[in-house]
Amino acid sequence: MTATAVLTARALLLDMDGTLVNSDASVERVWRRWAERNGLDGDEVMKVVHGRQGYASMALLLPDRPMEQNHADNARMLAEETSDTEGVVEIPGASAFLASLDGLPHALVTSADVALSTARMAAAGLEQPAVRVTAESVGASKPDPEGFLKGAAELGVAPADCVVFEDSGAGIAAGRAAGMRVVGIGPRAGFHDPDVVVRDLTRVRVERGADGTILLHITDAGHTG
């Protein structure tokens, strides 16, 4: 069903790829090359990689391979992805959405490292949030909740008062494990039971509450949970 939903929060935690930035073309190119090099089916690989750090995806896809090799491969993949920004654009509404958060508590929580997140946000013409939790900041990849919990802690907001914006199954699971509500963005999100799901960020309007709260007016919201 579709409806208009209003969520109240004290902070927002924002994934990058698939949520603020459409990097699917770059991700597909790099990961399909990796799949070919490792004798794997590219379509099956693409079902796994969204939302996770590369080494974590590799561990799922090649469970018998030493983790040191996954980490080494991941470093090479990050370099490839950072240099490949062709076709990287903003998710519709992302720029206006970020501008509406000026002065409100929010953070980027991404499985990308600093170099990759900087390159992709710049390629999409988006401003970086002041608070960023990147791959270097955590010891565990999504779906582990560590990144979102760190983001909440840096903003000084209780997890229950945060709303996560995510597109992937791993990211939505991480947000839920952190005890947060989740707004799903885009076609992938609806398969993973976020609290509400919308096509893109043009469907989200931010209102500043008098008591410092953030009111999220979400139109055409599909309720999945």
Side-chain angles (χ1 to χ4, degrees):
M1 87 183 201
T2 59
T4 298
V6 180
L7 298 180
T8 302
R10 292 199 172 273
L12 306 183
L13 301 176
L14 315 173
D15 175 51
M16 182 183 69
D17 292 304
T19 301
L20 298 174
V21 172
N22 182 345
S23 57
D24 281 1
S26 173
V27 172
E28 288 261 350
R29 286 191 294 270
V30 171
W31 276 98
R32 285 186 182 278
R33 288 197 298 268
W34 181 88
E36 188 174 354
R37 288 196 300 269
N38 288 277
L40 298 174
D41 180 82
D43 291 340
E44 294 304 311
V45 168
M46 294 314 302
K47 292 176 184 177
V48 171
V49 300
H50 292 290
R52 292 180 174 85
Q53 291 192 44
Y55 73 84
S57 296
M58 294 170 194
L60 289 173
L61 292 161
L62 296 171
D64 296 327
R65 193 164 80 155
M67 190 57 80
E68 313 87 77
Q69 193 173 345
N70 293 338
H71 280 288
D73 234 4
N74 185 47
R76 288 190 290 270
M77 295 282 283
L78 285 168
E80 279 188 59
E81 290 183 287
T82 300
S83 64
D84 181 358
T85 56
E86 183 180 350
V88 173
V89 296
E90 71 169 293
I91 293 292
S95 181
F97 174 69
L98 286 171
S100 73
L101 297 181
D102 185 39
L104 295 174
H106 67 287
L108 188 72
V109 181
T110 176
S111 294
D113 63 5
V114 169
L116 180 56
S117 60
T118 300
R120 284 191 175 156
M121 291 288 280
L126 298 176
E127 292 288 331
Q128 289 265 20
V131 177
R132 296 183 289 277
V133 179
T134 62
E136 296 94 338
S137 311
V138 297
S141 169
K142 300 172 186 176
D144 190 282
E146 181 186 0
F148 287 125
L149 292 172
K150 282 201 168 185
E154 285 203 36
L155 295 170
V157 176
D161 290 327
C162 296
V163 169
V164 165
F165 283 71
E166 265 285 359
D167 73 300
S168 71
I172 290 166
R176 285 201 172 283
M180 301 171 182
R181 291 155 294 156
V182 182
V183 176
I185 304 296
R188 282 191 291 267
F191 295 104
H192 302 289
D193 297 323
D195 293 277
V196 296
V197 61
V198 290
R199 183 181 67 201
D200 57 43
L201 291 166
T202 65
R203 305 296 179 178
V204 182
R205 180 174 64 85
V206 176
E207 180 186 355
R208 300 161 189 254
D211 58 351
T213 58
I214 303 169
L215 300 176
L216 298 169
H217 298 267
I218 303 170
T219 56
D220 296 329
H223 292 254
T224 65

